[in-house]
Amino acid sequence: MWKCPPLRRAAGQDPRGKGQFMKAVLIPGDGIGREIAESVKAVSQALDTGIEWQEYAAGAEYAAEHGELLQPGVLDAIEQCGWALKGPTATPIGKGFRSINVQLRQRFNTYANLRPVRTLPGVAARFENVDLVIVRENTEDLYKGIEYMLTDDIANGVKLITRDASLRICRFAFDYARRHGRRKVTAVHKANIMKLTDGLFLNCFRQVAADYPEIEADDVIIDALCMKLVQKPEQFDVMVAPNLYGDIISDLCAGLVGGLGFAPSANIGDKVRIYEAVHGSAPDIAGKNLANPSAILMAFAMMLKDLGQAGAADRLNSAIQAQVAEGKVVTADIGGTAATTEFTQAVIARL
Ligand code: NAI
């Protein structure tokens, strides 16, 4: 069963005499990243988490100035700390460099992308009581980036699915379900058409499911799933999917609960885990103190829980929920007028 890695080299004795402290990497990223990273630092301090942030730049803005995407030292720091919280980084469409997210996931083999999706009181949404978890395979499928031009007019991309990665992600999903008292795991696929690649994924799912008799297991074709999700999302619980389908249904599910402003995620490997908001760098509102920091704060809460600070994580989630439910000091994306900094201070006041 998957377990949090111990606090390795990055941990030490807290100079304040309160026990252990630990180092974690913070990558603000592009656009609104800097603003929401400031919220994280303020909340971390208010919660007295003992986390010492190692801050590194990465992304398109850093590249424009320095000619490279990642500040030197960031990869070593992530390797050493094992824990990182990352802001959004911009990726050019159809040309240019490969996504930093994809590079980090492949470099550190953070094979599981965990995305819980829940309705929050106070956030206008199409449904009430949505409570889903998406487990997305993070390292292969079409995102492996194996693309080439066969001729000037024919582009080819390789959909790579392996038995090892499929067994690993399915086992992760069932372990998660067991640990969190979830009733069902659904495999997402298109094995009726992609009989070898998605067929292999589905066979691995069925093999793993046999080891978890107490958890219901079923499977659904990706297009049918999209329709069922927008009609009756409560029929699903934990969903496990290859990379591309997982990416798409994550945003679809975020839309079910009121958008990307409240969608956190974790990229989990055996040695490294990187937490982030699902949303992007929001260039239209960057630098204006308008961003909603909730998603990255909720990703930070996921990190705190995995670090063994469940109490602090619960306090943070409750404070965000109460602040949003009250609806007075909230950001523009959910109908308010508050600045990022005002919302952050209001959440801190509730901690
Ligand atoms: P986006 O998520 O940045 O923005 C979509 C819309 O949602 C915009 O109107 C934006 O203002 C709003 N929005 C997003 N986050 C918000 C927040 N926290 N508070 C308030 N409003 C928010 O998606 P878009 O425009 O497609 O992508 C912009 C850039 O971000 C692209 O370069 C893309 O590659 C990158 N991106 C990075 C991700 C990551 O690093 N994890 C994930 C998704 C996109």
Side-chain angles (χ1 to χ4, degrees):
M1 182 184 292
W2 168 80
K3 287 205 183 82
C4 292
L7 306 183
R8 294 163 300 138
R9 278 160 289 171
Q13 279 306 307
D14 186 344
R16 303 161 305 170
K18 289 187 177 176
Q20 264 202 331
F21 78 99
M22 62 160 305
K23 292 181 180 175
V25 172
L26 180 64
I27 302 174
D30 289 316
I32 59 172
R34 200 170 304 280
E35 295 151 82
I36 59 178
E38 288 303 321
S39 298
V40 170
K41 286 193 279 184
V43 165
S44 181
Q45 193 169 13
L47 282 170
D48 199 17
T49 59
I51 293 174
E52 191 183 302
W53 297 107
Q54 314 284 296
E55 204 167 318
Y56 285 89
E61 291 163 23
Y62 182 79
E65 225 173 290
H66 298 88
E68 52 190 349
L69 283 171
L70 301 173
Q71 186 180 343
V74 62
L75 297 177
D76 287 346
I78 295 175
E79 187 118 41
Q80 276 204 337
C81 293
W83 302 86
L85 188 67
K86 183 189 154 295
T89 44
T91 310
I93 294 175
K95 57 179 180 173
F97 56 82
R98 279 187 81 204
S99 153
I100 291 181
N101 296 321
V102 175
Q103 289 185 49
L104 290 176
R105 288 167 192 164
Q106 292 183 356
R107 166 77 161 72
F108 292 112
N109 203 12
T110 51
Y111 57 86
N113 190 312
L114 188 63
R115 295 186 171 188
V117 179
R118 260 197 194 155
T119 34
L120 283 188
V123 180
R126 290 182 185 277
F127 297 95
E128 285 169 15
N129 303 322
V130 173
D131 183 7
L132 302 168
V133 176
I134 298 148
V135 177
R136 164 185 166 195
E137 204 291 323
N138 228 3
T139 60
E140 55 180 35
D141 194 359
L142 284 159
Y143 287 34
K144 200 78 186 169
I146 307 170
E147 290 188 310
Y148 57 93
M149 298 301 295
L150 215 51
T151 71
D152 282 351
D153 302 316
I154 304 175
N156 196 16
V158 175
K159 179 174 163 88
L160 187 87
I161 301 285
T162 65
R163 187 180 303 281
D164 278 356
S166 302
L167 289 171
R168 182 175 61 179
I169 197 68
C170 292
R171 205 162 283 291
F172 180 96
F174 278 97
D175 280 343
Y176 180 92
R178 183 177 271 172
R179 270 202 325 278
H180 292 83
R182 296 273 177 169
R183 67 192 153 82
K184 182 165 87 163
V185 180
T186 302
V188 182
H189 64 90
K190 186 79 182 175
N192 53 331
I193 305 296
M194 279 162 278
K195 295 180 194 292
L196 296 185
T197 48
D198 283 7
L200 175 59
F201 182 83
L202 186 56
N203 283 340
C204 291
F205 173 81
R206 289 180 175 149
Q207 181 186 331
V208 171
D211 294 337
Y212 299 80
E214 79 281 17
I215 297 168
E216 190 187 336
D218 66 0
D219 64 272
V220 60
I221 291 174
I222 176 70
D223 39 341
L225 173 70
C226 292
M227 185 192 69
K228 290 178 179 182
L229 275 173
V230 298
Q231 284 183 331
K232 215 172 158 216
E234 65 276 12
Q235 63 189 299
F236 297 102
D237 190 352
V238 176
M239 289 173 278
V240 61
N243 210 334
L244 176 62
Y245 308 145
D247 196 7
I248 295 169
I249 59 169
S250 297
D251 276 30
L252 189 156
C253 290
L256 298 177
V257 300
L260 293 172
F262 298 90
S265 78
N267 300 285
I268 295 172
D270 290 333
K271 294 190 176 142
V272 164
R273 64 210 41 217
I274 302 172
Y275 300 79
E276 61 184 332
V278 172
H279 63 72
S281 59
D284 50 337
I285 56 167
K288 297 179 180 164
N289 202 11
L290 290 175
N292 179 357
S294 297
I296 199 160
L297 290 175
M298 289 161 76
F300 180 42
M302 288 174 83
M303 177 174 164
L304 287 173
K305 204 163 257 182
D306 289 346
L307 277 167
Q309 298 197 28
D314 290 344
R315 279 164 67 202
L316 175 52
N317 280 327
S318 302
I320 295 168
Q321 280 166 26
Q323 190 58 34
V324 169
E326 189 192 60
K328 284 187 187 155
V329 180
V330 291
T331 46
D333 56 310
I334 51 168
T337 55
T340 311
T341 42
E342 286 169 319
F343 177 82
T344 305
Q345 285 311 317
V347 168
I348 287 173
R350 288 178 185 272
L351 292 174

